[in-house]
Amino acid sequence: MTVRVERDGPVTIVSIDRPAVRNAVDWRTAGSLADAFEEFDKDDTQSAAVLYGEGGVFSSGADLKAMDQRLEPDGNGPMGPTRMQLSKPVIAAIEGFCVAGGLEMALWCDLRVASRDASFGFFNRRWGVPLIDGATSRLPRLVGYGRAMDLILTGREVSAAEAERMGLVNWLVEPGEVLEEALSVAFVLADLPQQAMRSDRMALIAGDGLDVEEAMAEEFRLGLEALKAGSADRGVSRFVGGAGRGGAPDREPDA
């Protein structure tokens, strides 16, 4: 088994377990990763997920020994879930190397927690292997065109500190604390009213690349759907009744 799936209450933990090859992803592992996240997205009891690499390495990318695997424009991405658009957030818990396709997979996630000794980079540049799991689309939206061009053209190694400065990483923690911190973030997200959070997440994703008027129209459409579904009814009622005063969040989940 190259992918392990665990559930801790409303949080799913998906772990790549190929430490002997620095969690390189072959075709079988890619399929298992895609299946795991598809199941997570369909499971109404699950609200957030964490993607982790066992053995102190997030992922060294695609398994170059398996380059003869099928590469097709449709279906799963070569790294597995990188073409999927989930309705719920995923957090990357990054230790050690997060490079090549592994970095592309981390970019697919919504948020990234990394250890201070983690390393990033498109090391595939050294071997003439192109990017085919979404990096050229996602990276510039995250760190800007200039920084993305730097990382993509040079393939240089980027420290965790630099990754945080450029916005590639959301949080840095001490080595050995990555999974704990990622789970902490996941539980915070899972504890919030879900309909409105998911609606705002999708508006942010859908609005990327649209002009301001189009993006605001999409935000309004998605927000209206959430309101019609009753996303704010309980929270507003509880607030009027005195809950959440002084900045404390309303921790009663959606129905």
Side-chain angles (χ1 to χ4, degrees), residues 25 27 30-31 34 69-72 74-84 132-133:
V25 173
W27 193 252
Q69 61 193 14
R70 297 191 317 275
L71 295 175
E72 299 176 354
D74 301 315
N76 296 332
M79 292 292 292
T82 49
R83 294 175 184 166
M84 300 172 69
I132 50 178
D133 277 276

Side-chain angles (χ1 to χ4, degrees), residues 118-177:
S119 296
F120 303 83
F122 294 116
F123 291 3
N124 50 295
R125 181 61 58 240
R126 306 171 185 180
W127 319 118
V129 179
L131 296 165
I132 50 178
D133 277 276
T136 60
S137 299
R138 295 186 176 111
L139 185 63
R141 295 171 183 173
L142 192 63
V143 304
Y145 184 89
R147 287 192 176 105
M149 192 65 80
D150 168 17
L151 269 59
I152 288 171
L153 291 185
T154 67
R156 67 182 178 86
E157 185 171 354
V158 175
S159 69
E162 182 181 0
E164 183 192 34
R165 287 196 301 271
M166 69 173 61
L168 178 57
V169 167
N170 300 94
W171 298 277
L172 286 184
V173 298
E174 297 303 319
E177 298 178 3

Side-chain angles (χ1 to χ4, degrees), residues 116-251:
R116 296 186 185 279
D117 58 357
S119 296
F120 303 83
F122 294 116
F123 291 3
N124 50 295
R125 181 61 58 240
R126 306 171 185 180
W127 319 118
V129 179
L131 296 165
I132 50 178
D133 277 276
T136 60
S137 299
R138 295 186 176 111
L139 185 63
R141 295 171 183 173
L142 192 63
V143 304
Y145 184 89
R147 287 192 176 105
M149 192 65 80
D150 168 17
L151 269 59
I152 288 171
L153 291 185
T154 67
R156 67 182 178 86
E157 185 171 354
V158 175
S159 69
E162 182 181 0
E164 183 192 34
R165 287 196 301 271
M166 69 173 61
L168 178 57
V169 167
N170 300 94
W171 298 277
L172 286 184
V173 298
E174 297 303 319
E177 298 178 3
V178 166
L179 184 56
E180 179 182 357
E181 181 66 17
L183 285 171
S184 177
V185 175
F187 280 113
V188 168
L189 299 183
D191 208 23
L192 294 169
Q194 292 295 297
Q195 285 181 322
M197 184 192 70
R198 294 179 192 177
S199 173
D200 290 346
R201 172 181 174 273
M202 288 305 301
L204 181 61
I205 293 170
D208 197 8
L210 300 178
D211 65 34
V212 173
E213 288 187 2
E214 292 173 327
M216 290 183 66
E218 184 66 6
E219 177 192 65
F220 183 81
R221 182 187 69 79
L222 290 166
L224 192 60
E225 286 181 0
L227 288 171
K228 287 180 177 178
S231 70
D233 292 350
R234 176 180 287 124
V236 170
S237 177
R238 284 168 58 78
F239 180 81
V240 170
R245 298 300 169 87
D250 179 7
R251 299 201 179 280

